[in-house]
Amino acid sequence: MTTQSHEGTAASPHTPPPGAEGGAAGRTSRRRPNLGLDRFSGLYVWIAVIALFALWIPDTFMTQGNFRIIAGDQAITAMLAIGLIVPLAAGVFDLSIAGIMGFSVAMVSYQLSQGIGTPIAVVTTVLCGALIGAVNGFVVVKLKVDSFIATLGMSSILLAGTYWVTDGKQITEGFTDGFLDLGSKPFLGLPLPFFYMIGVAAVMYVVLEKTPLGRYFYATGGNRQAARLAGLRVERIMFGALMTSATIAAFTGVVLAAKLGTAAPDIGPSYLLPAFSAVFLGSTQIRAGRVNVLGTLIAIYLLATGVKGLQLAGAPSFVNDLFNGLALIVAVALAARTARRT
């Protein structure tokens, strides 16, 4: 009986170990191609949106002028969103980024209206943006105020500052032709702001994806305590992230002033929701589960193409806010689901 029992349970040298067939099946199923739907779904949706409007309203949508408008108009939102990626990667919010941009529009416009030269006006405006970022960093890092509250308060202060600089009126004088060319002169058939955006995106992509500094940002945002135990100076990283976002926002404000040729006191806040929508939706693309530059650019132009198509199809003017609000809710839900799965 004992011998039969051992012979019955002994494994043949040619018999696969228990679970081997299941493991092979599991590996086969894991290797099954999914066409990148988990990382490139935004690209597929973008293509589908273009195809939809190409069939629906081909005469107005599928034109060179329309695509030129989409590329140029979204450059401002894209630069602002790219600036927003940096603090979010480091685990802090910057709700003042649109306020910094609006204040920068007012500041550079005011200096030009007072006869100050373009180079000085541009440099002082960008430096002022960096200073605002340093103040944000000081409040968050040294005073230990939550970044959400600190930057929300700063955005209100900046709105008041914008009204003070402009005296509550539009600034329309003092813009030189050289300054206006910075925001409207075409290059290769596209407005210059599009190429500024490409440059900012390229720099931030290299910094975040290809350098140790980028890894430090993501490590701090992923687990601040673990990053501190690993020897990272997380306070400096958070401080630098807020300064970087503010500097990019100030530069974006200069470009926007050159593009519009005017400064309105309430120009900044309307850009905040589209920027956040793009960043969170972008976090479900390319590098799913974390904010990233390429995913954000896909999200920007996906949203812009959808909104522009609906407008050309005769949708009411409020479709922009409706579309961006829904996109933000969906994006946050998808980002949370992706984070749980990873």
Side-chain angles (χ1 to χ4, degrees), residues 92-93 134-151 224 235 238-239 242:
V92 290
F93 279 90
V135 173
N136 280 339
F138 175 80
V139 173
V140 172
V141 173
K142 296 299 183 182
L143 301 185
K144 306 299 182 183
V145 178
D146 183 86
S147 62
F148 193 96
I149 302 300
T151 56
R224 192 174 302 171
E235 287 79 12
M238 293 160 57
F239 188 95
L242 289 168

Side-chain angles (χ1 to χ4, degrees), residues 38-119:
D38 54 339
R39 298 174 57 211
F40 304 104
S41 58
L43 282 175
Y44 291 111
V45 174
W46 190 11
I47 293 170
V49 168
I50 293 174
L52 170 64
F53 289 114
L55 295 173
W56 186 4
I57 45 173
D59 294 337
T60 54
F61 185 79
M62 296 299 293
T63 64
Q64 188 178 40
N66 181 46
F67 289 117
R68 186 183 300 115
I69 290 172
I70 292 175
D73 287 352
Q74 294 306 309
I76 300 298
T77 306
M79 282 193 287
L80 202 65
I82 291 167
L84 191 59
I85 289 174
V86 184
L88 289 175
V92 290
F93 279 90
D94 187 359
L95 298 180
S96 67
I97 192 167
I100 296 171
M101 185 191 73
F103 182 76
S104 299
V105 171
M107 185 173 180
V108 72
S109 301
Y110 175 78
Q111 291 180 83
L112 292 171
S113 70
Q114 298 301 306
I116 298 175
T118 296

Side-chain angles (χ1 to χ4, degrees), residues 10 21 41 80 110 117 121 144 165 169 177 206 227 238 256 263 280 288 301 305 308:
E21 294 180 359
S41 58
L80 202 65
Y110 175 78
K144 306 299 182 183
V165 170
K169 304 172 185 177
D177 292 339
V206 171
M238 293 160 57
L256 181 57
F280 281 115
Y301 285 100
T305 304
K308 191 64 176 179

Side-chain angles (χ1 to χ4, degrees), residues 10 36 52 66 81 89 94 125-126 133 136 161 179-180 207 212 266 319-320 339:
L52 170 64
N66 181 46
D94 187 359
T125 299
V126 173
N136 280 339
F179 180 76
L180 294 176
V207 170
D266 58 350
V319 70
N320 194 353

Side-chain angles (χ1 to χ4, degrees), residues 11-336:
S12 167
H14 301 290
T15 302
E21 294 180 359
R27 286 192 296 273
T28 302
S29 63
R30 284 196 295 271
R31 290 171 184 168
R32 195 172 299 160
N34 61 3
L35 301 178
L37 290 176
D38 54 339
R39 298 174 57 211
F40 304 104
S41 58
L43 282 175
Y44 291 111
V45 174
W46 190 11
I47 293 170
V49 168
I50 293 174
L52 170 64
F53 289 114
L55 295 173
W56 186 4
I57 45 173
D59 294 337
T60 54
F61 185 79
M62 296 299 293
T63 64
Q64 188 178 40
N66 181 46
F67 289 117
R68 186 183 300 115
I69 290 172
I70 292 175
D73 287 352
Q74 294 306 309
I76 300 298
T77 306
M79 282 193 287
L80 202 65
I82 291 167
L84 191 59
I85 289 174
V86 184
L88 289 175
V92 290
F93 279 90
D94 187 359
L95 298 180
S96 67
I97 192 167
I100 296 171
M101 185 191 73
F103 182 76
S104 299
V105 171
M107 185 173 180
V108 72
S109 301
Y110 175 78
Q111 291 180 83
L112 292 171
S113 70
Q114 298 301 306
I116 298 175
T118 296
I120 296 176
V122 170
V123 170
T124 55
T125 299
V126 173
L127 289 177
C128 185
L131 178 61
I132 295 170
V135 173
N136 280 339
F138 175 80
V139 173
V140 172
V141 173
K142 296 299 183 182
L143 301 185
K144 306 299 182 183
V145 178
D146 183 86
S147 62
F148 193 96
I149 302 300
T151 56
L152 181 62
M154 178 58 78
S155 67
S156 183
I157 294 171
L158 290 169
L159 184 59
T162 303
Y163 272 90
W164 176 65
V165 170
T166 61
D167 197 24
K169 304 172 185 177
Q170 284 193 343
I171 299 176
T172 58
E173 299 177 351
F175 296 95
T176 63
D177 292 339
F179 180 76
L180 294 176
D181 284 345
L182 296 176
S184 58
K185 190 174 182 179
F187 178 71
L188 299 178
L190 292 169
L192 280 177
F194 177 78
F195 295 98
Y196 301 149
M197 180 269 293
I198 294 297
V200 172
V203 170
M204 294 315 303
Y205 173 81
V206 171
V207 170
L208 291 174
E209 302 290 344
K210 304 297 182 180
T211 67
L213 180 59
R215 292 192 288 272
Y216 299 160
F217 280 129
Y218 285 119
T220 301
N223 190 320
R224 192 174 302 171
Q225 187 61 29
R228 184 179 285 108
L229 293 174
L232 298 183
R233 298 182 175 181
V234 297
E235 287 79 12
R236 288 190 180 184
I237 292 171
M238 293 160 57
F239 188 95
L242 289 168
M243 276 196 67
T244 301
S245 64
T247 304
I248 293 175
F251 173 74
T252 305
V254 171
V255 175
L256 181 57
K259 180 175 182 291
L260 298 177
T262 184
D266 58 350
I267 197 170
S270 62
Y271 284 86
L272 186 63
L273 181 60
F276 266 98
S277 299
V279 172
F280 281 115
L281 182 56
S283 70
T284 67
Q285 304 297 308
I286 310 298
R287 307 282 260 172
R290 77 182 197 185
V291 293
N292 65 91
V293 173
L294 295 181
T296 297
L297 292 180
I298 291 172
I300 283 282
Y301 285 100
L302 166 60
L303 295 173
T305 304
V307 169
K308 191 64 176 179
L310 290 173
Q311 289 175 341
L312 292 174
S317 58
F318 60 77
V319 70
N320 194 353
D321 292 331
L322 176 64
F323 202 85
N324 283 314
L326 289 174
L328 179 60
I329 295 172
V330 172
V332 172
L334 288 174

